[in-house]
Amino acid sequence: MSIFTDRKLGFGTMRLPLKEASVETSIDIEHSCKMVDYYMEHGFTYFDTAWMYHGFESENAIKKALVERYPRDSYTLATKFHVGFASSSDDKERIFNTQLEKTGAQYFDYYLIHDIERGNYDKYKEYDAFNWAREKKAKGLIKHLGFSFHSDAELLDQILTEQPDMEFVQLQINYLDWESDNIQSRKCYEVATKHNCPVIVMEPVKGGTLANVPAEVEKMFKDREPSLSIPSWAIRFVASLDNVKMVLSGMSNMDQMIDNCSYMEDFKPLTEEEKELCILAGKMISGDIKIPCTGCSYCTEGCPLNIAIPKLFAAYNSDGNYDEAVADGGKASECVECGQCEGICPQHLPVITYLKDVATKYEG
């Protein structure tokens, strides 16, 4: 029996609407409530948040927009523990109890050991995070236990062998990263499937990259199906994979919500020909991306110079306004190369090197 519903669209709350575009904590609760209502009215129930999203405000927003407004048994809620935001093993308990308080959820339907990669798996084991979470599950505070993963297929195989009771794994999968040597979307998907471990997909649109594709790719998709949006191809590609049980979309406004619900409410998997079209699109797009940043903003919280790294990278990729990107933080040239950003980046980007590229372009 599946632990997921048949409705594969999940509401990711890492990119909620904001009152001030440059302030991650300024979540527009009224707009978020309208999005939650539309999502629920169309039969979807899976909400995903995390301790650090929106400058640690996403879980508070979930309480206001969802938990305080709907019966507890009408939705499912996922949140996460990330070892990078803990200074000792004792922080696990403090963070979990604070998450219960912030969300008001009483328990979590899905709980994830978050963002596991080669640089932190041993730390999770040192903190005994898996057994700790199992104890929470035994007490009914967690209904289903899994983990999210940002590393190579070999490590994923090791983890699923060592932790065989994990009920699901959350992977970055999209048609751009499908054959990527760095992300290894396909290889990781195949490892999870080999272990009979259900998959939740994150970053299906790669932080918006696959919503704003080159003109020739857009024409190719529109020639095939004029009525469907460009992002729909990315989300339907991953939702068509047999072992994918949920696809998270970080929707930021009502237009995105309406669009996603329109084709996921009565979801029809892609044909093999359509899947190949997506793979071709990925190959066409890959050469145009200078910095493959998804804009998750994990890197910004600990930056000693308050550099808005994702905004600088977005400006660089689009030849955008650099002055706007640095309006509320440091310049690229002010980076002190402390390395905290590279240590926490889920994409494993050489952030320091890219900041130098940005500085060279915009600051001479």
Side-chain angles (χ1 to χ4, degrees), residues 132-156:
W132 165 80
R134 290 180 181 109
E135 291 173 2
K136 296 298 182 187
K137 182 181 176 184
K139 294 177 180 179
L141 296 174
I142 294 172
K143 301 300 181 183
H144 302 289
L145 177 60
F147 65 99
S148 65
F149 184 78
H150 279 285
S151 195
D152 58 272
E154 183 180 359
L155 179 61
L156 179 60

Short mmCIF file of all heavy atoms in Angstrom, two decimals, residues 132-156:
data_model
loop_
_atom_site.label_atom_id
_atom_site.label_comp_id
_atom_site.label_asym_id
_atom_site.label_seq_id
_atom_site.Cartn_x
_atom_site.Cartn_y
_atom_site.Cartn_z
N TRP A 132 17.39 8.55 16.14
CA TRP A 132 16.59 9.58 16.81
C TRP A 132 15.24 9.78 16.11
O TRP A 132 14.19 9.82 16.75
CB TRP A 132 17.38 10.88 16.83
CG TRP A 132 16.58 12.10 17.15
CD1 TRP A 132 16.18 12.53 18.39
CD2 TRP A 132 16.08 13.07 16.21
NE1 TRP A 132 15.46 13.70 18.27
CE2 TRP A 132 15.39 14.06 16.94
CE3 TRP A 132 16.16 13.19 14.83
CZ2 TRP A 132 14.79 15.15 16.34
CZ3 TRP A 132 15.55 14.28 14.22
CH2 TRP A 132 14.87 15.25 14.97
N ALA A 133 15.27 9.85 14.78
CA ALA A 133 14.03 10.03 14.03
C ALA A 133 13.15 8.79 14.12
O ALA A 133 11.91 8.89 14.17
CB ALA A 133 14.35 10.34 12.57
N ARG A 134 13.76 7.62 14.18
CA ARG A 134 12.98 6.38 14.35
C ARG A 134 12.23 6.40 15.69
O ARG A 134 11.09 5.92 15.79
CB ARG A 134 13.90 5.16 14.26
CG ARG A 134 14.45 4.89 12.87
CD ARG A 134 15.37 3.66 12.85
NE ARG A 134 15.90 3.41 11.52
CZ ARG A 134 17.17 3.61 11.16
NH1 ARG A 134 18.05 4.03 12.07
NH2 ARG A 134 17.58 3.37 9.92
N GLU A 135 12.86 6.94 16.70
CA GLU A 135 12.21 7.04 18.01
C GLU A 135 11.01 7.98 17.95
O GLU A 135 9.96 7.72 18.56
CB GLU A 135 13.21 7.53 19.06
CG GLU A 135 14.30 6.52 19.39
CD GLU A 135 15.37 7.10 20.30
OE1 GLU A 135 15.23 8.28 20.70
OE2 GLU A 135 16.34 6.37 20.61
N LYS A 136 11.15 9.07 17.21
CA LYS A 136 10.02 9.99 17.02
C LYS A 136 8.88 9.30 16.27
O LYS A 136 7.70 9.51 16.58
CB LYS A 136 10.48 11.22 16.23
CG LYS A 136 11.52 12.07 16.92
CD LYS A 136 11.00 12.65 18.22
CE LYS A 136 12.04 13.55 18.88
NZ LYS A 136 11.62 13.99 20.24
N LYS A 137 9.24 8.48 15.32
CA LYS A 137 8.22 7.73 14.58
C LYS A 137 7.51 6.74 15.50
O LYS A 137 6.27 6.60 15.45
CB LYS A 137 8.85 7.01 13.39
CG LYS A 137 7.83 6.25 12.54
CD LYS A 137 8.51 5.52 11.39
CE LYS A 137 7.47 4.69 10.62
NZ LYS A 137 8.09 3.89 9.54
N ALA A 138 8.26 6.07 16.35
CA ALA A 138 7.66 5.11 17.28
C ALA A 138 6.68 5.78 18.23
O ALA A 138 5.70 5.16 18.67
CB ALA A 138 8.76 4.40 18.07
N LYS A 139 6.92 7.05 18.52
CA LYS A 139 6.03 7.81 19.42
C LYS A 139 4.86 8.45 18.68
O LYS A 139 4.01 9.09 19.30
CB LYS A 139 6.83 8.90 20.14
CG LYS A 139 7.88 8.36 21.10
CD LYS A 139 8.68 9.50 21.72
CE LYS A 139 9.73 8.98 22.68
NZ LYS A 139 10.54 10.08 23.27
N GLY A 140 4.81 8.28 17.36
CA GLY A 140 3.71 8.84 16.57
C GLY A 140 3.90 10.29 16.18
O GLY A 140 2.99 10.88 15.58
N LEU A 141 5.06 10.86 16.47
CA LEU A 141 5.31 12.25 16.09
C LEU A 141 5.74 12.37 14.64
O LEU A 141 5.70 13.45 14.06
CB LEU A 141 6.38 12.85 17.02
CG LEU A 141 5.97 12.94 18.49
CD1 LEU A 141 7.15 13.39 19.35
CD2 LEU A 141 4.80 13.90 18.66
N ILE A 142 6.20 11.28 14.07
CA ILE A 142 6.51 11.17 12.65
C ILE A 142 5.75 9.97 12.11
O ILE A 142 5.81 8.88 12.70
CB ILE A 142 8.01 10.97 12.41
CG1 ILE A 142 8.82 12.20 12.85
CG2 ILE A 142 8.31 10.64 10.95
CD1 ILE A 142 10.33 11.99 12.83
N LYS A 143 5.02 10.16 11.03
CA LYS A 143 4.27 9.04 10.45
C LYS A 143 5.12 8.25 9.44
O LYS A 143 5.07 7.02 9.41
CB LYS A 143 3.00 9.56 9.77
CG LYS A 143 2.05 10.31 10.69
CD LYS A 143 1.57 9.44 11.84
CE LYS A 143 0.60 10.21 12.73
NZ LYS A 143 0.16 9.41 13.90
N HIS A 144 5.88 8.96 8.64
CA HIS A 144 6.70 8.30 7.62
C HIS A 144 8.07 8.98 7.57
O HIS A 144 8.17 10.21 7.54
CB HIS A 144 6.04 8.37 6.24
CG HIS A 144 4.67 7.75 6.22
ND1 HIS A 144 4.49 6.39 6.33
CD2 HIS A 144 3.45 8.32 6.14
CE1 HIS A 144 3.18 6.14 6.30
NE2 HIS A 144 2.53 7.27 6.18
N LEU A 145 9.12 8.17 7.53
CA LEU A 145 10.49 8.68 7.65
C LEU A 145 11.28 8.43 6.36
O LEU A 145 11.28 7.32 5.83
CB LEU A 145 11.19 7.99 8.83
CG LEU A 145 12.66 8.34 9.08
CD1 LEU A 145 12.81 9.83 9.35
CD2 LEU A 145 13.20 7.51 10.24
N GLY A 146 11.96 9.47 5.91
CA GLY A 146 12.81 9.34 4.73
C GLY A 146 13.93 10.36 4.77
O GLY A 146 14.24 10.92 5.82
N PHE A 147 14.53 10.62 3.61
CA PHE A 147 15.62 11.59 3.56
C PHE A 147 15.67 12.23 2.20
O PHE A 147 15.16 11.70 1.21
CB PHE A 147 16.96 10.93 3.91
CG PHE A 147 17.44 9.88 2.94
CD1 PHE A 147 18.39 10.17 1.98
CD2 PHE A 147 16.95 8.57 3.01
CE1 PHE A 147 18.84 9.20 1.09
CE2 PHE A 147 17.39 7.60 2.13
CZ PHE A 147 18.35 7.91 1.17
N SER A 148 16.28 13.41 2.15
CA SER A 148 16.54 14.06 0.87
C SER A 148 18.02 13.97 0.58
O SER A 148 18.85 13.91 1.49
CB SER A 148 16.06 15.51 0.87
OG SER A 148 16.81 16.28 1.79
N PHE A 149 18.36 13.99 -0.70
CA PHE A 149 19.71 13.58 -1.11
C PHE A 149 20.23 14.46 -2.23
O PHE A 149 19.54 14.73 -3.21
CB PHE A 149 19.66 12.12 -1.56
CG PHE A 149 20.98 11.52 -1.92
CD1 PHE A 149 21.85 11.09 -0.93
CD2 PHE A 149 21.36 11.38 -3.24
CE1 PHE A 149 23.09 10.52 -1.25
CE2 PHE A 149 22.58 10.81 -3.58
CZ PHE A 149 23.45 10.38 -2.58
N HIS A 150 21.49 14.92 -2.07
CA HIS A 150 22.16 15.73 -3.10
C HIS A 150 23.58 15.22 -3.29
O HIS A 150 24.53 15.87 -2.91
CB HIS A 150 22.20 17.19 -2.67
CG HIS A 150 20.95 17.95 -2.90
ND1 HIS A 150 20.54 18.37 -4.15
CD2 HIS A 150 20.00 18.39 -2.04
CE1 HIS A 150 19.40 19.04 -4.05
NE2 HIS A 150 19.05 19.06 -2.78
N SER A 151 23.72 14.05 -3.88
CA SER A 151 25.07 13.53 -4.10
C SER A 151 25.02 12.47 -5.19
O SER A 151 24.09 12.43 -6.00
CB SER A 151 25.65 12.98 -2.79
OG SER A 151 27.04 12.78 -2.90
N ASP A 152 26.01 11.58 -5.19
CA ASP A 152 26.16 10.63 -6.28
C ASP A 152 25.42 9.32 -6.01
O ASP A 152 25.08 8.99 -4.87
CB ASP A 152 27.64 10.35 -6.53
CG ASP A 152 28.34 9.80 -5.29
OD1 ASP A 152 28.82 10.63 -4.48
OD2 ASP A 152 28.39 8.58 -5.11
N ALA A 153 25.18 8.58 -7.06
CA ALA A 153 24.40 7.35 -6.97
C ALA A 153 25.08 6.29 -6.10
O ALA A 153 24.40 5.50 -5.43
CB ALA A 153 24.17 6.80 -8.38
N GLU A 154 26.39 6.28 -6.08
CA GLU A 154 27.10 5.30 -5.27
C GLU A 154 26.82 5.51 -3.78
O GLU A 154 26.58 4.54 -3.04
CB GLU A 154 28.61 5.39 -5.54
CG GLU A 154 29.43 4.35 -4.77
CD GLU A 154 30.91 4.46 -5.05
OE1 GLU A 154 31.32 5.34 -5.84
OE2 GLU A 154 31.69 3.67 -4.47
N LEU A 155 26.84 6.77 -3.34
CA LEU A 155 26.53 7.04 -1.93
C LEU A 155 25.07 6.73 -1.63
O LEU A 155 24.75 6.21 -0.56
CB LEU A 155 26.83 8.51 -1.59
CG LEU A 155 26.51 8.91 -0.15
CD1 LEU A 155 27.32 8.11 0.86
CD2 LEU A 155 26.74 10.43 0.05
N LEU A 156 24.18 7.03 -2.56
CA LEU A 156 22.77 6.72 -2.35
C LEU A 156 22.57 5.22 -2.16
O LEU A 156 21.82 4.78 -1.28
CB LEU A 156 21.93 7.22 -3.53
CG LEU A 156 20.43 6.94 -3.44
CD1 LEU A 156 19.82 7.61 -2.21
CD2 LEU A 156 19.72 7.41 -4.71
#
